[in-house]
């Protein structure tokens, strides 16, 4: 499993190509040849770039859902809406399709943010707004999500 680290500001060109930051290319070096999946995020107006192994692991979970359950069927359809296979070209760029570009409302200024095992691709203004809004609740969220873990001590504080 990947553990990607970093947040970088980038630009998208007129053709919808995004130059992946060098730091991410280094972190993804072992999986570059396998390809990637680019999709809409579920909770935010951003895109998610999944290395193929990470996508396959997630797909296995989704594929276990019973398609004869209406909610499951709707979820699968929406979850896969706009999903694209993408490769990183020889110049280190990925092409963002027009439909995904429109969904994420990306303009020229982009933020690429590591989200553990995937990369989020945001319009810079939307990313800053999301971070600013989340900052108000982050202490409470951190306590709720991480505070009740009474497992073995791991030194995280």
């Amino acid at each position: 499993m990947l553990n990607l680290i970093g947040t970088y500001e980038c630009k998208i060109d007129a053709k919808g190509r995004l130059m992946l930051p060098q730091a991410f290319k280094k972190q993804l070096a072992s999986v570059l040849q396998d390809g990637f999946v680019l999709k809409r995020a579920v909770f935010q107006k951003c895109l998610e770039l999944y290395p193929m192994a990470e996508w396959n692991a997630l797909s296995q979970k989704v594929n276990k859902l019973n398609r004869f359950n209406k909610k499951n069927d709707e979820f699968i359809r929406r979850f896969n809406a706009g999903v694209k296979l993408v490769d990183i070209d020889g110049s280190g760029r990925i092409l963002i399709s027009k439909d995904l570009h429109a969904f994420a409302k990306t303009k020229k200024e982009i933020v690429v943010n590591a989200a553990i095992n995937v990369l989020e691709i945001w319009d810079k203004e939307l990313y800053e707004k999301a971070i600013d809004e989340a900052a108000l609740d982050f202490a409470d969220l951190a306590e709720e999500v991480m505070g009740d873990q009474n497992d073995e001590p791991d030194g995280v504080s």
Side-chain angles (χ1 to χ4, degrees):
M1 180 169 171
L2 289 172
N3 187 20
L4 301 167
I5 299 171
T7 302
Y8 300 91
E9 293 184 11
C10 309
K11 294 188 187 315
I12 193 166
D13 70 16
K15 294 182 180 179
R17 296 176 299 197
L18 170 66
M19 177 72 74
L20 211 56
Q22 187 65 29
F24 286 138
K25 285 190 272 190
K26 285 181 182 178
Q27 292 176 62
L28 294 167
S30 65
V31 298
L32 285 178
Q33 71 282 354
D34 298 333
F36 297 85
V37 170
L38 186 63
K39 72 175 290 303
R40 302 171 184 187
V42 174
F43 298 109
Q44 300 289 339
K45 281 287 187 185
C46 70
L47 304 176
E48 297 171 333
L49 183 68
Y50 285 81
M52 192 56 69
E54 301 294 334
W55 176 255
N56 289 338
L58 180 58
S59 292
Q60 285 180 345
K61 291 179 183 178
V62 173
N63 285 337
K64 291 179 182 176
L65 296 173
N66 179 352
R67 298 263 340 231
F68 288 97
N69 177 303
K70 185 177 180 181
K71 284 185 180 182
N72 291 352
D73 192 51
E74 288 176 16
F75 170 80
I76 292 167
R77 184 176 308 106
R78 289 181 183 178
F79 182 78
N80 286 297
V83 170
K84 304 281 190 280
L85 291 172
V86 296
D87 289 309
I88 296 178
D89 70 14
S91 299
R93 301 172 300 192
I94 61 167
L95 178 64
I96 299 175
S97 63
K98 290 182 181 183
D99 62 321
L100 293 178
H101 186 66
F103 169 81
K105 300 181 180 177
T106 50
K107 299 177 191 95
K108 189 173 184 172
E109 302 291 324
I110 302 292
V111 172
V112 181
N113 180 59
I116 303 175
N117 60 341
V118 301
L119 295 178
E120 297 176 332
I121 300 170
W122 289 81
D123 174 77
K124 183 180 176 187
E125 288 180 23
L126 292 177
Y127 176 77
E128 290 174 355
K129 182 179 177 185
I131 292 298
D132 288 346
E133 289 173 356
L136 300 174
D137 302 323
F138 188 67
D140 291 337
L141 179 63
E143 181 179 14
E144 184 177 328
V145 172
M146 300 298 290
D148 290 336
Q149 294 187 5
N150 292 324
D151 298 342
E152 297 176 28
D154 59 4
V156 177
S157 58

